[in-house]
mmCIF file of all heavy atoms in Angstrom:
data_model
loop_
_atom_site.group_PDB
_atom_site.id
_atom_site.type_symbol
_atom_site.label_atom_id
_atom_site.label_comp_id
_atom_site.label_asym_id
_atom_site.label_seq_id
_atom_site.Cartn_x
_atom_site.Cartn_y
_atom_site.Cartn_z
ATOM 1 N N ALA Z 1086 -7.884 1.312 32.741
ATOM 2 C CA ALA Z 1086 -7.837 2.645 32.146
ATOM 3 C C ALA Z 1086 -7.309 2.623 30.720
ATOM 4 O O ALA Z 1086 -7.908 3.194 29.804
ATOM 5 C CB ALA Z 1086 -6.976 3.560 33.014
ATOM 6 N N GLY Z 1087 -6.164 1.976 30.518
ATOM 7 C CA GLY Z 1087 -5.577 1.941 29.193
ATOM 8 C C GLY Z 1087 -6.440 1.201 28.195
ATOM 9 O O GLY Z 1087 -6.533 1.581 27.021
ATOM 10 N N SER Z 1088 -7.114 0.137 28.643
ATOM 11 C CA SER Z 1088 -7.996 -0.621 27.758
ATOM 12 C C SER Z 1088 -9.170 0.236 27.298
ATOM 13 O O SER Z 1088 -9.648 0.098 26.173
ATOM 14 C CB SER Z 1088 -8.519 -1.871 28.477
ATOM 15 O OG SER Z 1088 -7.464 -2.758 28.770
ATOM 16 N N GLY Z 1089 -9.646 1.135 28.173
ATOM 17 C CA GLY Z 1089 -10.730 2.038 27.802
ATOM 18 C C GLY Z 1089 -10.267 3.171 26.910
ATOM 19 O O GLY Z 1089 -10.864 3.450 25.864
ATOM 20 N N ALA Z 1090 -9.172 3.836 27.305
ATOM 21 C CA ALA Z 1090 -8.674 4.991 26.559
ATOM 22 C C ALA Z 1090 -8.187 4.595 25.174
ATOM 23 O O ALA Z 1090 -8.404 5.321 24.197
ATOM 24 C CB ALA Z 1090 -7.552 5.668 27.348
ATOM 25 N N ALA Z 1091 -7.531 3.442 25.060
ATOM 26 C CA ALA Z 1091 -7.002 2.997 23.761
ATOM 27 C C ALA Z 1091 -8.113 2.770 22.757
ATOM 28 O O ALA Z 1091 -7.990 3.124 21.579
ATOM 29 C CB ALA Z 1091 -6.177 1.729 23.937
ATOM 30 N N ILE Z 1092 -9.220 2.181 23.208
ATOM 31 C CA ILE Z 1092 -10.324 1.908 22.292
ATOM 32 C C ILE Z 1092 -11.065 3.197 21.949
ATOM 33 O O ILE Z 1092 -11.458 3.418 20.798
ATOM 34 C CB ILE Z 1092 -11.275 0.856 22.893
ATOM 35 C CG1 ILE Z 1092 -10.522 -0.465 23.064
ATOM 36 C CG2 ILE Z 1092 -12.504 0.658 22.026
ATOM 37 C CD1 ILE Z 1092 -9.777 -0.944 21.823
ATOM 38 N N ALA Z 1093 -11.239 4.073 22.924
ATOM 39 C CA ALA Z 1093 -11.873 5.363 22.648
ATOM 40 C C ALA Z 1093 -11.090 6.144 21.603
ATOM 41 O O ALA Z 1093 -11.661 6.794 20.727
ATOM 42 C CB ALA Z 1093 -11.997 6.180 23.928
ATOM 43 N N ALA Z 1094 -9.765 6.065 21.672
ATOM 44 C CA ALA Z 1094 -8.890 6.814 20.770
ATOM 45 C C ALA Z 1094 -8.581 6.065 19.484
ATOM 46 O O ALA Z 1094 -7.777 6.531 18.668
ATOM 47 C CB ALA Z 1094 -7.584 7.160 21.486
ATOM 48 N N ASN Z 1095 -9.205 4.890 19.283
ATOM 49 C CA ASN Z 1095 -9.011 4.112 18.055
ATOM 50 C C ASN Z 1095 -7.561 3.687 17.850
ATOM 51 O O ASN Z 1095 -6.975 3.868 16.788
ATOM 52 C CB ASN Z 1095 -9.507 4.902 16.838
ATOM 53 C CG ASN Z 1095 -11.011 5.059 16.812
ATOM 54 O OD1 ASN Z 1095 -11.735 4.160 16.406
ATOM 55 N ND2 ASN Z 1095 -11.478 6.214 17.271
ATOM 56 N N LEU Z 1096 -6.977 3.109 18.913
ATOM 57 C CA LEU Z 1096 -5.612 2.598 18.840
ATOM 58 C C LEU Z 1096 -5.593 1.088 18.621
ATOM 59 O O LEU Z 1096 -4.529 0.496 18.461
ATOM 60 C CB LEU Z 1096 -4.843 2.954 20.116
ATOM 61 C CG LEU Z 1096 -4.815 4.440 20.488
ATOM 62 C CD1 LEU Z 1096 -4.028 4.652 21.768
ATOM 63 C CD2 LEU Z 1096 -4.228 5.285 19.352
ATOM 64 N N ALA Z 1097 -6.763 0.475 18.647
ATOM 65 C CA ALA Z 1097 -6.953 -0.939 18.343
ATOM 66 C C ALA Z 1097 -8.439 -1.125 18.079
ATOM 67 O O ALA Z 1097 -9.232 -0.197 18.272
ATOM 68 C CB ALA Z 1097 -6.494 -1.821 19.509
ATOM 69 N N THR Z 1098 -8.825 -2.318 17.656
ATOM 70 C CA THR Z 1098 -10.234 -2.541 17.327
ATOM 71 C C THR Z 1098 -11.059 -2.806 18.578
ATOM 72 O O THR Z 1098 -12.136 -2.228 18.758
ATOM 73 C CB THR Z 1098 -10.371 -3.716 16.351
ATOM 74 O OG1 THR Z 1098 -9.442 -3.548 15.263
ATOM 75 C CG2 THR Z 1098 -11.777 -3.782 15.777
ATOM 76 N N VAL Z 1099 -10.578 -3.678 19.437
ATOM 77 C CA VAL Z 1099 -11.245 -3.989 20.698
ATOM 78 C C VAL Z 1099 -10.173 -4.249 21.752
ATOM 79 O O VAL Z 1099 -8.991 -4.397 21.428
ATOM 80 C CB VAL Z 1099 -12.168 -5.233 20.582
ATOM 81 C CG1 VAL Z 1099 -13.397 -4.921 19.747
ATOM 82 C CG2 VAL Z 1099 -11.416 -6.431 20.006
ATOM 83 N N SER Z 1100 -10.612 -4.341 23.004
ATOM 84 C CA SER Z 1100 -9.648 -4.605 24.072
ATOM 85 C C SER Z 1100 -10.249 -5.522 25.118
ATOM 86 O O SER Z 1100 -11.468 -5.733 25.171
ATOM 87 C CB SER Z 1100 -9.189 -3.298 24.735
ATOM 88 O OG SER Z 1100 -10.257 -2.700 25.457
ATOM 89 N N VAL Z 1101 -9.373 -6.053 25.958
ATOM 90 C CA VAL Z 1101 -9.791 -6.880 27.082
ATOM 91 C C VAL Z 1101 -9.377 -6.180 28.367
ATOM 92 O O VAL Z 1101 -8.216 -5.795 28.530
ATOM 93 C CB VAL Z 1101 -9.158 -8.286 27.027
ATOM 94 C CG1 VAL Z 1101 -9.614 -9.128 28.226
ATOM 95 C CG2 VAL Z 1101 -9.519 -8.989 25.721
ATOM 96 N N GLY Z 1102 -10.340 -5.996 29.261
ATOM 97 C CA GLY Z 1102 -10.067 -5.457 30.582
ATOM 98 C C GLY Z 1102 -10.336 -6.510 31.631
ATOM 99 O O GLY Z 1102 -10.730 -7.643 31.327
ATOM 100 N N THR Z 1103 -10.129 -6.159 32.883
ATOM 101 C CA THR Z 1103 -10.501 -7.038 33.992
ATOM 102 C C THR Z 1103 -11.214 -6.205 35.042
ATOM 103 O O THR Z 1103 -11.023 -4.997 35.132
ATOM 104 C CB THR Z 1103 -9.287 -7.728 34.643
ATOM 105 O OG1 THR Z 1103 -8.473 -6.753 35.314
ATOM 106 C CG2 THR Z 1103 -8.453 -8.484 33.621
ATOM 107 N N GLU Z 1104 -12.057 -6.892 35.816
ATOM 108 C CA GLU Z 1104 -12.806 -6.184 36.853
ATOM 109 C C GLU Z 1104 -12.899 -7.016 38.118
ATOM 110 O O GLU Z 1104 -13.119 -8.227 38.067
ATOM 111 C CB GLU Z 1104 -14.217 -5.828 36.370
ATOM 112 C CG GLU Z 1104 -15.088 -5.240 37.469
ATOM 113 C CD GLU Z 1104 -16.220 -4.367 36.952
ATOM 114 O OE1 GLU Z 1104 -16.209 -3.994 35.773
ATOM 115 O OE2 GLU Z 1104 -17.110 -4.057 37.750
ATOM 116 N N THR Z 1105 -12.724 -6.328 39.236
ATOM 117 C CA THR Z 1105 -13.057 -6.870 40.545
ATOM 118 C C THR Z 1105 -14.260 -6.114 41.098
ATOM 119 O O THR Z 1105 -15.198 -6.694 41.597
ATOM 120 C CB THR Z 1105 -11.865 -6.777 41.511
ATOM 121 O OG1 THR Z 1105 -10.729 -7.421 40.927
ATOM 122 C CG2 THR Z 1105 -12.178 -7.427 42.849
ATOM 123 N N CYS Z 1106 -14.218 -4.786 40.964
ATOM 124 C CA CYS Z 1106 -15.359 -3.958 41.374
ATOM 125 C C CYS Z 1106 -15.310 -2.631 40.619
ATOM 126 O O CYS Z 1106 -14.708 -1.673 41.099
ATOM 127 C CB CYS Z 1106 -15.351 -3.720 42.880
ATOM 128 S SG CYS Z 1106 -16.775 -2.794 43.482
ATOM 129 N N GLY Z 1107 -15.864 -2.604 39.416
ATOM 130 C CA GLY Z 1107 -15.945 -1.373 38.637
ATOM 131 C C GLY Z 1107 -14.825 -1.139 37.660
ATOM 132 O O GLY Z 1107 -14.820 -0.130 36.955
ATOM 133 N N SER Z 1108 -13.881 -2.048 37.551
ATOM 134 C CA SER Z 1108 -12.670 -1.784 36.770
ATOM 135 C C SER Z 1108 -12.844 -1.875 35.266
ATOM 136 O O SER Z 1108 -11.976 -1.436 34.513
ATOM 137 C CB SER Z 1108 -11.540 -2.723 37.208
ATOM 138 O OG SER Z 1108 -11.079 -2.358 38.487
ATOM 139 N N ILE Z 1109 -13.949 -2.442 34.795
ATOM 140 C CA ILE Z 1109 -14.339 -2.358 33.382
ATOM 141 C C ILE Z 1109 -15.390 -1.280 33.211
ATOM 142 O O ILE Z 1109 -15.322 -0.445 32.301
ATOM 143 C CB ILE Z 1109 -14.867 -3.713 32.866
ATOM 144 C CG1 ILE Z 1109 -13.733 -4.727 32.734
ATOM 145 C CG2 ILE Z 1109 -15.565 -3.547 31.509
ATOM 146 C CD1 ILE Z 1109 -14.191 -6.142 32.389
ATOM 147 N N LEU Z 1110 -16.366 -1.259 34.090
ATOM 148 C CA LEU Z 1110 -17.487 -0.326 33.986
ATOM 149 C C LEU Z 1110 -17.032 1.125 34.101
ATOM 150 O O LEU Z 1110 -17.536 1.998 33.383
ATOM 151 C CB LEU Z 1110 -18.528 -0.634 35.062
ATOM 152 C CG LEU Z 1110 -19.071 -2.061 35.099
ATOM 153 C CD1 LEU Z 1110 -20.092 -2.207 36.209
ATOM 154 C CD2 LEU Z 1110 -19.672 -2.445 33.755
ATOM 155 N N SER Z 1111 -16.091 1.403 34.978
ATOM 156 C CA SER Z 1111 -15.619 2.776 35.183
ATOM 157 C C SER Z 1111 -14.943 3.356 33.942
ATOM 158 O O SER Z 1111 -15.352 4.398 33.442
ATOM 159 C CB SER Z 1111 -14.681 2.830 36.395
ATOM 160 O OG SER Z 1111 -13.978 4.055 36.451
ATOM 161 N N PRO Z 1112 -13.898 2.715 33.396
ATOM 162 C CA PRO Z 1112 -13.269 3.282 32.191
ATOM 163 C C PRO Z 1112 -14.172 3.237 30.973
ATOM 164 O O PRO Z 1112 -14.035 4.073 30.076
ATOM 165 C CB PRO Z 1112 -12.009 2.432 32.004
ATOM 166 C CG PRO Z 1112 -12.267 1.177 32.742
ATOM 167 C CD PRO Z 1112 -13.150 1.543 33.894
ATOM 168 N N ALA Z 1113 -15.096 2.274 30.911
ATOM 169 C CA ALA Z 1113 -16.049 2.261 29.795
ATOM 170 C C ALA Z 1113 -16.918 3.510 29.849
ATOM 171 O O ALA Z 1113 -17.122 4.188 28.837
ATOM 172 C CB ALA Z 1113 -16.909 1.004 29.841
ATOM 173 N N SER Z 1114 -17.429 3.828 31.031
ATOM 174 C CA SER Z 1114 -18.255 5.025 31.196
ATOM 175 C C SER Z 1114 -17.475 6.284 30.889
ATOM 176 O O SER Z 1114 -17.948 7.170 30.172
ATOM 177 C CB SER Z 1114 -18.796 5.099 32.632
ATOM 178 O OG SER Z 1114 -19.643 4.019 32.924
ATOM 179 N N GLN Z 1115 -16.275 6.380 31.443
ATOM 180 C CA GLN Z 1115 -15.489 7.604 31.334
ATOM 181 C C GLN Z 1115 -14.928 7.840 29.941
ATOM 182 O O GLN Z 1115 -14.604 8.976 29.577
ATOM 183 C CB GLN Z 1115 -14.335 7.584 32.347
ATOM 184 C CG GLN Z 1115 -14.762 7.794 33.790
ATOM 185 C CD GLN Z 1115 -15.416 9.142 34.003
ATOM 186 O OE1 GLN Z 1115 -16.526 9.234 34.516
ATOM 187 N NE2 GLN Z 1115 -14.739 10.218 33.612
ATOM 188 N N ASN Z 1116 -14.811 6.768 29.144
ATOM 189 C CA ASN Z 1116 -14.244 6.897 27.799
ATOM 190 C C ASN Z 1116 -15.280 6.685 26.700
ATOM 191 O O ASN Z 1116 -14.928 6.516 25.535
ATOM 192 C CB ASN Z 1116 -13.083 5.912 27.626
ATOM 193 C CG ASN Z 1116 -11.891 6.280 28.487
ATOM 194 O OD1 ASN Z 1116 -11.082 7.126 28.122
ATOM 195 N ND2 ASN Z 1116 -11.787 5.654 29.658
ATOM 196 N N SER Z 1117 -16.565 6.698 27.084
ATOM 197 C CA SER Z 1117 -17.657 6.618 26.123
ATOM 198 C C SER Z 1117 -17.559 5.396 25.221
ATOM 199 O O SER Z 1117 -17.683 5.483 24.001
ATOM 200 C CB SER Z 1117 -17.722 7.896 25.273
ATOM 201 O OG SER Z 1117 -18.985 8.038 24.673
ATOM 202 N N ILE Z 1118 -17.318 4.237 25.845
ATOM 203 C CA ILE Z 1118 -17.298 2.988 25.097
ATOM 204 C C ILE Z 1118 -18.215 1.981 25.799
ATOM 205 O O ILE Z 1118 -18.838 2.285 26.812
ATOM 206 C CB ILE Z 1118 -15.879 2.404 24.938
ATOM 207 C CG1 ILE Z 1118 -15.294 2.019 26.304
ATOM 208 C CG2 ILE Z 1118 -14.964 3.377 24.209
ATOM 209 C CD1 ILE Z 1118 -14.020 1.190 26.215
ATOM 210 N N VAL Z 1119 -18.278 0.787 25.245
ATOM 211 C CA VAL Z 1119 -19.075 -0.300 25.809
ATOM 212 C C VAL Z 1119 -18.163 -1.214 26.614
ATOM 213 O O VAL Z 1119 -17.080 -1.583 26.158
ATOM 214 C CB VAL Z 1119 -19.761 -1.106 24.689
ATOM 215 C CG1 VAL Z 1119 -20.504 -2.310 25.261
ATOM 216 C CG2 VAL Z 1119 -20.697 -0.212 23.880
#
Side-chain angles (χ1 to χ4, degrees):
S1088 295
I1092 297 309
N1095 291 279
L1096 305 180
T1098 311
V1099 289
S1100 68
V1101 180
T1103 68
E1104 173 156 346
T1105 305
C1106 184
S1108 289
I1109 289 173
L1110 305 180
S1111 167
S1114 297
Q1115 287 298 126
N1116 292 278
S1117 200
I1118 64 169
V1119 175

